[in-house]
Amino acid sequence: MRIWGPLAAICLGTFILLVDVTIVLVALPAISDSLGSSLSQLQWVADGYALAVAAALLAAGMLADLHGRRRMYAGGLIVFALASIACALSPSMGVLIAARVVQGLGAAAMFTTTLSLISTLYSGRRLGLAFGAWAAVAASASALKPILGGLLTQALDWRWIFYANVPVTALALAMTFRYIPRSTPTRDASRRLDIPGLLLFALGAGGFVYALTEAHAQGWTSPRTLAPLGSAAAALVLFVRTQRRSTHPLLDLSLFRRPAFTAAMLTIAVGEGAVYGILPYTSLWLQSVQHLSPTGTGLVVLPHAAAAALVAVVSGRLIPKPSPRLGSCLGLGFAGLGVGALGFLGPDSGWPALVGGLALSGVGMGLIFQVAASLALGSAPGERAGMASGAYSTFEQLGYAFGVAAFGTLAASAMADALHGEVADPGSTAQTLSGGGADTLLATVPSSHRPVLEHTLRAAFATGHNTLALTAAAATLACAALVLWLTRTGPPPPPTPPAPDPDTRSATAAAE
């Protein structure tokens, strides 16, 4: 257990925090029936968690470097468990949303330390195996959310989505104290938490995620989208300026001069955004058009999870030190081809049409999770491990958020174009259809007209989904080409040793 104990503790926390990103989506109707809520409140049940995670990741990474990674990981587990209990016991939507935000802060503390803990606990081939196991868990969590959410909601109650977190986090906490040694925090007394950087990044990342959320519902030209987007952009510009001037920055921008680190950030952001950004709409097609249950939908996606987990473990054993050119480009290439294979649905297509593409994209994501994580930590100095882990997690979360929001807008637009001339109000119909409301639309027409309308809606949804899949494939393959170009040169030269101070030079001269 000296080898597997620490990894099991880390992977348990990783699994539960990633599952909780979107597991509540399948339970939103049940939550609405139980507590009574508006559409915007339901959105914030999911988005409040993502917002807190994205805003707090870099700060948590720096705190982990300053005060110890095990301490930060254990603290995150405790906050996450207590917030999960508060979510399960919530008497109102306001309490539930607030508890989800606190849960996201705990998740950020856990997420930002998982990779840095692995990089300090393992080395050599064991490091590759550990990254592979972590990547397998991350890939499985991303694909198994619909199954777990559907099973818990259908068999028990929506509150058990949160109650189920408690025993898992308790076990992870016990294993953390049992198997993970205390890490040595940074002893530099002059190094302090970068408060201006923390606030600016939280405002920028939080405003960015909020704007993307509003864009899905309000449109990109809405003031409710443009105002937070403009504020977020201004905050991020100021953040970059302060980081360049700071002696101890929240994010050391010089890391991006390392081709492998930049390749890792691009690979995880684009891979996550392209593959998992369209997965919610694939799930909607399966449920609203194919009329599968949430559990059945999760089973359709299972080949993706199985392929990703298997490839992550195998690649971790065979490629302990992945090449940014080979690993990133292969991962992005397989992911792009797999997601592109999902773009050929027709009005009469069934769920088997997705299985091959889902499995192939799983192969790509298995490589991406393992390779990008290894590159991000391996290309950063040891004292910046928490910072590198926080940056990796931030790019992953923001890539996912941007993918979901951007593809949501594109889906509605493509469906509206497909419905033009077929229905009276194609824009409104497309909004309802892209949100999974096919049955709602069918209920508004006489039963004699439903077969024709159903065929029209199936064709429109297939067109929208195909547009998303092919766009995601193009973006992923373009990113592979960009990574290939960025990593065309060798590693950067070693840093120049600092010049000796005058006293040292004088002593040397005297000795001579």
Side-chain angles (χ1 to χ4, degrees):
M1 290 297 289
R2 190 169 62 180
I3 298 174
W4 294 107
L7 187 59
I10 293 168
C11 287
L12 275 175
T14 300
F15 182 82
I16 200 67
L17 75 89
L18 287 178
V19 163
D20 262 53
V21 174
T22 56
I23 193 175
V24 297
L25 294 180
V26 297
L28 291 181
I31 293 174
S32 180
D33 291 341
S34 174
L35 300 180
S37 62
S38 65
L39 177 60
S40 61
Q41 287 178 317
L42 285 176
Q43 289 176 323
W44 275 106
V45 172
D47 296 330
Y49 180 89
L51 181 65
V53 172
L57 278 169
L58 284 181
M62 188 172 189
L63 286 172
D65 286 339
L66 290 173
H67 300 294
R69 290 156 197 155
R70 191 186 79 160
R71 181 182 298 176
M72 180 61 62
Y73 183 66
L77 284 167
I78 293 171
V79 171
F80 187 88
L82 294 176
S84 295
I85 295 173
C87 288
L89 297 175
S90 295
S92 67
M93 289 298 295
V95 174
L96 177 59
I97 292 169
R100 283 286 283 172
V101 171
V102 177
Q103 192 185 37
L105 296 177
M110 296 156 59
F111 202 8
T112 197
T113 50
T114 53
L115 293 178
S116 55
L117 281 171
I118 289 175
S119 70
T120 55
L121 293 172
Y122 299 93
S123 61
R125 188 164 295 278
R126 285 182 178 177
L127 178 61
L129 179 60
F131 273 130
W134 178 90
V137 169
S140 299
S142 298
L144 292 177
K145 299 166 193 173
I147 298 178
L148 297 176
L151 286 173
L152 289 171
T153 303
Q154 291 173 4
L156 297 170
D157 181 74
W158 67 265
R159 296 179 187 272
W160 282 93
I161 287 177
F162 302 109
Y163 280 132
N165 292 339
V166 180
V168 178
T169 51
L171 178 60
L173 186 63
M175 296 183 72
T176 296
F177 287 122
R178 174 67 178 84
Y179 296 112
I180 297 180
R182 286 194 180 101
S183 54
T184 303
T186 300
R187 297 300 182 185
D188 186 355
S190 66
R191 192 177 176 193
R192 295 287 186 272
L193 181 63
D194 180 8
I195 299 296
L198 187 158
L199 295 176
L200 286 171
F201 183 79
L203 179 61
F208 186 57
V209 173
Y210 178 83
L212 293 175
T213 302
E214 289 300 309
H216 184 55
Q218 305 292 334
W220 287 99
T221 59
S222 168
R224 293 182 62 179
T225 301
L226 294 177
L229 191 61
S231 300
L236 290 175
V237 169
L238 290 175
F239 171 75
V240 171
R241 294 184 64 182
T242 60
Q243 297 308 285
R244 286 178 173 175
R245 298 174 181 175
S246 176
T247 305
H248 301 295
L250 190 67
L251 176 61
D252 186 355
L253 298 179
S254 67
L255 291 174
F256 289 94
R257 297 174 187 168
R258 302 166 182 254
F261 185 84
T262 303
M265 298 301 108
L266 285 172
T267 299
I268 190 59
V270 175
E272 184 82 15
V275 175
Y276 296 118
I278 73 164
L279 204 57
Y281 307 103
T282 304
S283 176
L284 285 173
W285 180 79
L286 289 168
Q287 293 186 59
S288 67
V289 175
Q290 299 295 311
H291 299 102
L292 295 181
S293 67
T295 304
T297 297
L299 291 174
V300 172
V301 183
L302 194 58
H304 173 94
L310 178 62
V311 169
V313 172
V314 171
S315 63
R317 290 183 63 88
L318 298 180
I319 318 174
K321 292 184 178 180
S323 159
R325 293 199 117 200
L326 178 62
S328 296
C329 293
L330 277 178
L332 289 167
F334 282 127
L337 293 175
V339 78
L342 305 178
F344 298 93
L345 299 178
D348 299 320
S349 296
W351 63 263
L354 299 176
V355 174
L358 288 170
L360 185 57
S361 66
V363 171
M365 288 309 297
L367 275 171
I368 285 173
F369 279 124
Q370 198 274 334
V371 169
S374 299
L375 291 176
L377 271 295
S379 58
E383 67 275 11
R384 290 288 190 266
M387 180 185 293
S389 179
Y392 172 91
S393 304
T394 300
F395 273 75
E396 180 180 4
Q397 291 299 306
L398 292 181
Y400 172 78
F402 182 81
V404 171
F407 287 139
T409 303
L410 181 59
S413 175
M415 291 180 197
D417 290 342
L419 290 168
H420 188 73
E422 301 289 340
V423 296
D425 187 353
S428 176
T429 302
Q431 287 288 342
T432 303
L433 181 62
S434 64
D439 289 339
T440 301
L441 293 170
L442 289 173
T444 62
V445 299
S447 57
S448 60
H449 295 168
R450 288 177 188 172
V452 175
L453 179 59
E454 182 176 12
H455 185 273
T456 299
L457 296 179
R458 290 171 68 95
F461 205 119
T463 298
H465 187 274
N466 294 346
T467 302
L468 301 187
L470 295 176
T471 302
T476 307
L477 295 175
C479 183
L482 178 59
V483 168
L484 189 67
W485 179 78
L486 284 173
T487 56
R488 68 194 185 282
T489 57
T496 304
D501 57 45
D503 293 338
T504 303
R505 285 200 301 265
S506 299
T508 302
E512 291 176 352

